[in-house]
Amino acid sequence: METTACILCECNCGIEVRIEDGHFTRIRGDKNHPGSKGYACEKALRLDHYQNSRDRLNAPQRRREDGTFEEIDWDTAISEVASKLSGVRDAHGGDSILYYGGGGQGNHLGGAYSTALRAALGSRFRSSALAQEKTGEFWVNHEMFGTGVRGDFEHTEVAVFVGKNPWQSHGIPEARRTLKAIANDPARSMVVIDPRRTETADLADYFLQVKPGTDAFCLATLGAILVEENLFDRSFIRDHTSNSKAAIEALRKVPISDFAGRCGIDEDLLRRTARRVAGASSVAVYEDLGVQQAPHSTLVSYLEKLIWVLTGNFAKPGAQFVPTVLVPFARGNTSRRPSPVTGAKVIGGMIPCNSIADEILTDHPDRFRAMFIESANPVHSLSDSRRMGEALDELDLVVVIDIAMTESARHADYVLPASSQYEKWEATFFNFDFPDNVFQLRAPIVEPLEGTLPEPEIHARIVRELAVLDADLVAGLLATAESDRVKFATDFMTATTADPMIGRMAPILLYETLGQTLPDGAGAAAVLWALAHRCAMTYPKAVGRAGFEGDGLEPGEALFDAMISQRSGVVFTRSDWDEVWSQINTTDGAINLEIPVLIDALDRLHSEPDGLTSSEYPFILAAGERRSFTANTIFRDPAWRKRDRHGALRISAPDAERLGIEDGGRVRVSTGGGTIVTSIEITDTLQSGHITLPNGFGLDYPDQSGIRSSTGVSVNDLTVTGGRFEDPIAGTPYHKHVPARVEALT
Ligand SMILES: Nc1nc2c(c(=O)[nH]1)N[C@H]1C(S)=C(S)[C@@H](COP(=O)(O)OP(=O)(O)OC[C@H]3O[C@@H](n4cnc5c(=O)[nH]c(N)nc54)[C@H](O)[C@@H]3O)O[C@H]1N2
Ligand SMILES: Nc1nc2c(c(=O)[nH]1)N[C@H]1C(S)=C(S)[C@@H](COP(=O)(O)OP(=O)(O)OC[C@H]3O[C@@H](n4cnc5c(=O)[nH]c(N)nc54)[C@H](O)[C@@H]3O)O[C@H]1N2
Ligand code: SF4
Ligand SMILES: [Mo]
């Protein structure tokens, strides 16, 4: 059995794979993986459909005048891509090149090298899927804590899931085991806030089945009850928070019964829930897409955090903590420069996904002229796919790195074929465990498909072609890396601190030097050397407790050696709950409770009119539900699904009856974004007026004879962009709240 990890969700459970004739014939959880400890869900068993997809690209593709593609060799591809990228930069500036993506659920090493390519081109703007889900929460975290936070669900007394269905979407370690353990323990409780009675809600003790899109009312009520009934933790607030007055006053003003009615929850249930949360020794909270892609998303993030801060649920077992990080990608700082055309807020360096098309489809002189897309499929995954496709067609240059000819790749000028995640060295920076945090560098377990390259090599080749690194510097550092790693460290640090440009090129400089000396072709691991050293310097105690000790550079070197040699993953930090406070990164070291624009938004809720539905669009469509057989667009082969093969529209029995449709019957769904036809699944888990479609469908895929067709609905044919349909602060879309009409087809 070969040791690797599942690439289908952020948990990246360790797995063992038996390979016969290039096929994954047996897959099981890896007991030696220090994070997942043998756990894996059933989706992992289907990974052969990823590895042996019929849709793999095995040569670089160049678009012809007529829109068809021709195969070209790698040297041609690299030199043309490099010269066209520098051409765009010379004509319009590096800022006109937008970088999108950088990694999916299982692959972040490519993205770690792309930063150097972007530096070489002077490209500063980027975006990724995070800017259509998490940026609002990142920003709130930044304002309150100065850093990201996570919850300790394994040990918590009360688990709260807000717009999150971990039974299907995972996201916490050993999700199903953890959920069952909470459900089976009479001393622990689970609170679920969701308009649908999900698999997770079925396990809940307190199920708050809100009306879609009313979470702000629900959470404001919970907060108001804490204040009204004096349930908040006064000493915690006094000792550990600042600026609490305005938030508490705003909550005190919330009309409890009125808001309870707005969200459709019985006031008594809300009171019992607030008391349970306040009385618990620990509470862990997880908010996800159900609120992050719905009305008031950033306000909801704030209210959700106010509730657990007001009840003192930070820096103790079972509560919230600050994870140690190798790459701080969950940053919520806003950059001084907004997006060039629409002036959108840029959070954590990312342009809101919803603004991208507007940043292109305009005459504005600062519009984007080129896009570099890596390991993402924005024409499928962004709101209003058709417009996103039109935007790509308007650009002077589109380069895509993917393993498949995706919906986005079809709009590219060059498509560069990557080796699959099981054919190269790979890793993710989704390292959020606590107190033991885990990182796993995966080695290739199958030979790469001929004609493909790993992303780090692609980036390095483009950078070589751009000739930005001094050849003597590279040769000198390479020689030192071969003979003396300690001297290499000093020389490397001297070179990268002396010249900021060389500093920004550090990943590729490492790849070209240290990387060439690593065993088994593990050159892509070179960037980990810098991350290991930074980690050892940032968290000396936690890294020491994990067993990496010594003087000077020794802990970092030891950590790096462990990373590259331990196939099931390595515990890189062992934290102490007492240290969590020192990770708070606000000016005064206290949690800041006052975010003025969100307090205003809370005040404005009082006078807010009801919902986005109308007589034309009386339903609310949640566009993109996680189900047993969805995994973003990582599997293109629809045969991986054993059930729900077409991704039915879920609808309540009363609604189906009113429309005169039976289970399996066909309907037309229309929104402001478009119209689709699908079959329905009648369910008693949904409220009347609420319908759902799964994410990740509608990908086209060739059959045995090469004829391409797609299965199910591509949800972003139905989603909409624009002011009413996105968060006013973070610009995140309301994918889970699309006004829609349903008509029966006979
Ligand atoms: N099986 C599977 N797992 C996945 C993925 C996948 O594609 N398939 N994708 C991964 C990724 S990228 C992500 S980001 C996560 C996302 O994971 P989740 O956020 O858990 O996934 P969703 O099903 O999109 O949305 C969660 C819940 O929001 C609810 N919801 C809808 N509208 C509202 C609302 O107005 N208010 C509230 N409170 N809830 C609402 C839905 O009913 C649903 O139960 O999943 C990851 N895991
Ligand atoms: N309407 C609606 N839209 C949504 C969502 C929703 O709930 N509703 N969810 C949103 C969310 S949370 C997310 S995270 C996004 C996800 O959407 P995207 O960000 O587009 O990412 P993925 O679907 O994960 O696609 C990853 C791409 O990586 C490619 N790939 C796989 N392995 C490799 C590799 O080794 N190298 C390279 N270069 N490529 C590889 C795959 O072929 C695929 O094209 O969708 C978002 N879009
Ligand atoms: S929980 Fe996520 S990473 Fe783990 S096996 Fe399931 S899909 Fe894969
Ligand atoms: Mo996501």
Side-chain angles (χ1 to χ4, degrees), residues 5-15 36 39-45 47 105 168-172 174-175 630-631:
C6 176
I7 59 163
L8 297 174
C9 85
E10 66 171 49
C11 293
N12 302 128
C13 300
I15 55 171
S36 57
Y39 177 88
C41 77
E42 77 289 340
K43 286 207 302 288
L45 304 178
L47 280 166
Q105 302 293 299
Q168 294 299 8
S169 66
H170 306 273
I172 57 173
E174 307 173 60
T630 66

Side-chain angles (χ1 to χ4, degrees), residues 50 100 104-105 107 129 132-133 289 293 374-378 381-382 401-404 406 418-421 424 426 455 623-624 626 632-634 636 695 715-716 719 735-736:
Y50 165 78
Y100 187 88
Q105 302 293 299
N107 55 321
Q132 64 168 317
E133 44 172 336
L289 302 186
Q293 300 181 334
E374 175 171 357
S375 195
N377 189 0
S381 59
L382 264 56
I401 306 183
D402 206 292
I403 59 165
T406 63
S419 307
S420 87
Q421 296 177 45
K424 65 191 172 205
E426 251 314 348
E455 291 81 352
R626 271 66 185 162
N632 286 1
T633 64
I634 304 162
R636 294 190 68 85
N695 67 317
V715 268
N716 287 311
T719 50
H735 287 324
K736 300 294 187 270

